[in-house]
Amino acid sequence: MRRHLPGLAPITNMKIANKLGLIVAVMAIPIVALLVVQFFAQRATQEQAARERDGLEYVSTVIPFLREVQLHRGLVLRVLAGDANSVETMNQSARAAENALAAINEMDARYGSSFGTRDLVAFLNREWANVKNSTSSPETANAAHTRLIQDGIFPLLSTVAVRSELVLDPDLDTRNVIIALTESLPRLTEALSLIRAAGTETLITRANLSPTDQQKMFLAAQLAIAGEHAAALDRQLQAAISDNERFAATLDPAVRRAATTRSTFFDMTRSQVLVTGNLSGTAAEGFFYMGGSSIDTSNQLLAAAQETLNAAFDQRAADARQQFYLSGGAALAGVALALLLAIVISLSISRPVRHLAEVADRISLGELDARIDVESDNEIGRLAESLRRMQTSLRAAIERLRQRRQQAA
């Protein structure tokens, strides 16, 4: 009869302590595997948070360039419409746009490879050179600025948002804010910028006259577009504000301020340009200023949300790291406890077994009075009791044999 299953002789012949250690090791394998999986998940969360921080920093660098290009377009159209007083302001705006573009180039040097923005930034640099020289006519200037924005800045914002995983943020409230700031906000400010530029040009060139039907149609269309983007922006931000107290504290005042300023600018566009009988050239300056104010208060939403977003990214990474430490510590403590129990159990078995083996050896050598120091109610205790009975039986048998020999003599 076989004493063990085929192929298991090495395990069967192992010492008890080694067997228990093997059991602990086998139990530890899935725990270690889970820890490894959790470690990589935790590291992925931290890396995503870092990418999102970098992406948000990149976006916050692109928005000022967008603002300056929009402002430069409006000033160029003012100058081409005959406003010579705006020449110096136009030149200052060009210098500010170049500084903002230099900041984008620095961002691209740091993150261009990982975010895939090298070609888009090269396009911005080429097109900006064309924009500065596009002063031959309002149509040429407007087309050059619009091409730079539509084909360069907007794709750059979208690429950064996607490649940095900003738009893949796992928190719905945070994702709503990010989508609002990287998609709805730039398109809203572009519509506002077009209203500002076209409305100001109309007020200057059509002073004391009515706007043309083409001018009215363009402004009405841009008002509708701006209204749609503003509504989308407000919906996304309000959804985040209602779900997140931190956004409520930082964003809500900025959202209200931006909405009030936009509403004032929309009303001014309708009353001073679209429905008036005779346009007032002196109203151009105030109209241009109000348009700029509506753009600026909208762009301030990014600054208002940026600190809260970065704090959310950092908190998510810290939570993932803490969760890994807690679960890892608990798992390691469990393995250590299992190992300690294995050692204790091994000693509780091996020590009495070794003692009983030594007693059995001494009995086999004739030491029938060897003391058996094992007292327990388990299998080892029963084995010890069996040895005691064997001692008693052997002593009785030897005594009977001694008596028969004496009688025989």
Side-chain angles (χ1 to χ4, degrees):
M1 182 177 177
R2 291 178 177 176
R3 295 177 298 171
H4 49 72
L5 295 176
L8 295 182
I11 296 177
T12 304
N13 295 327
M14 289 174 63
K15 294 182 178 180
I16 293 174
N18 293 338
K19 289 180 180 180
L20 292 173
L22 179 61
I23 293 174
V24 173
V26 172
M27 292 173 57
I29 290 174
I31 295 176
V32 172
L34 288 174
L35 285 177
V36 171
V37 171
Q38 189 174 28
F39 169 76
F40 283 110
Q42 177 263 146
R43 190 170 70 174
T45 299
Q46 289 184 295
E47 289 175 351
Q48 181 180 2
R51 284 194 299 272
E52 289 187 86
R53 281 188 66 99
D54 296 340
L56 189 60
E57 183 183 7
Y58 206 141
V59 168
S60 67
T61 304
V62 177
I63 293 298
F65 180 62
L66 172 61
R67 176 189 178 278
E68 294 302 333
V69 172
Q70 291 168 340
L71 177 60
H72 186 264
R73 173 175 54 195
L75 291 168
V76 169
L77 293 181
R78 286 181 62 172
V79 171
L80 291 176
D83 184 3
N85 295 327
S86 297
V87 172
E88 180 56 31
T89 307
M90 179 187 70
N91 293 333
Q92 292 175 358
S93 175
R95 289 191 292 270
E98 289 173 352
N99 291 335
L101 182 58
I104 293 177
N105 286 323
E106 291 180 4
M107 285 289 110
D108 186 60
R110 292 166 58 185
Y111 307 121
S113 296
S114 57
F115 292 165
T117 59
R118 293 286 166 80
D119 292 342
L120 287 169
V121 173
F123 176 83
L124 293 187
N125 284 279
R126 290 194 305 270
E127 287 301 309
W128 171 244
N130 296 330
V131 165
K132 290 190 297 184
N133 298 322
S134 61
T135 57
S136 58
S137 69
E139 294 76 16
T140 301
N142 187 61
H145 286 81
T146 301
R147 182 170 59 251
L148 174 61
I149 292 171
Q150 296 288 346
D151 298 340
I153 296 177
F154 285 174
L156 178 60
L157 288 170
S158 297
T159 299
V160 171
V162 172
R163 295 292 293 271
S164 68
E165 300 187 16
L166 276 169
V167 295
L168 302 178
D169 191 274
D171 294 335
L172 180 60
D173 53 350
T174 305
R175 187 163 66 249
N176 279 330
V177 172
I178 291 169
I179 293 174
L181 298 179
T182 58
E183 294 183 10
S184 300
L185 176 63
R187 284 160 178 75
L188 169 61
T189 61
E190 173 63 0
L192 294 173
S193 172
L194 289 170
I195 295 171
R196 176 181 63 180
T200 303
E201 182 188 16
T202 300
L203 288 169
I204 294 174
T205 58
R206 301 289 294 179
N208 301 318
L209 300 172
S210 298
T212 65
D213 290 341
Q214 183 178 4
Q215 289 170 330
K216 287 183 177 181
M217 289 177 60
F218 179 81
L219 286 171
Q222 292 304 318
L223 279 173
I225 293 172
E228 288 294 325
H229 289 309
L233 179 71
D234 288 341
R235 282 196 305 270
Q236 291 158 341
L237 294 181
Q238 288 299 334
I241 290 171
S242 63
D243 294 335
N244 192 314
E245 293 181 357
R246 292 176 298 179
F247 285 130
T250 57
L251 268 177
D252 192 50
V255 169
R256 296 177 184 275
R257 185 166 56 250
T260 300
T261 309
R262 283 197 306 270
S263 178
T264 301
F265 182 54
F266 289 167
D267 291 342
M268 183 179 290
T269 302
R270 296 185 184 95
S271 62
Q272 294 188 1
V273 183
L274 291 179
V275 300
T276 184
N278 295 321
L279 298 177
S280 172
T282 58
E285 184 66 30
F287 182 85
F288 191 86
Y289 172 81
M290 195 63 207
S293 180
S294 67
I295 294 172
D296 290 341
T297 54
S298 296
N299 282 330
Q300 287 169 9
L301 294 170
L302 176 60
Q306 190 169 2
E307 183 177 351
T308 301
L309 287 171
N310 282 329
F313 301 152
D314 292 342
Q315 186 62 48
R316 190 180 307 126
D319 289 344
R321 186 165 52 250
Q322 183 179 16
Q323 181 62 32
F324 173 72
Y325 290 153
L326 289 175
S327 58
L332 293 177
V335 173
L337 179 60
L339 183 59
L340 178 61
L341 287 174
I343 294 173
V344 172
I345 294 172
S346 173
L347 291 176
S348 69
I349 296 174
S350 60
R351 282 181 177 176
V353 168
R354 282 198 302 269
H355 174 68
L356 293 177
E358 291 172 359
V359 169
D361 287 340
R362 290 164 64 186
I363 292 174
S364 69
L365 295 175
E367 191 177 342
L368 300 180
D369 294 328
R371 181 178 176 82
I372 301 176
D373 295 325
V374 175
E375 299 290 342
S376 63
D377 295 329
N378 55 22
E379 292 85 349
I380 296 177
R382 289 195 291 272
L383 176 60
E385 187 60 32
S386 296
L387 282 176
R388 291 190 186 97
R389 288 196 299 270
M390 184 182 70
Q391 279 182 310
T392 302
S393 297
L394 286 174
R395 284 196 296 265
I398 291 173
E399 179 61 24
R400 287 194 298 271
L401 179 61
R402 185 183 64 79
Q403 292 177 355
R404 283 198 295 268
R405 285 180 178 176
Q406 287 177 350
Q407 292 173 358

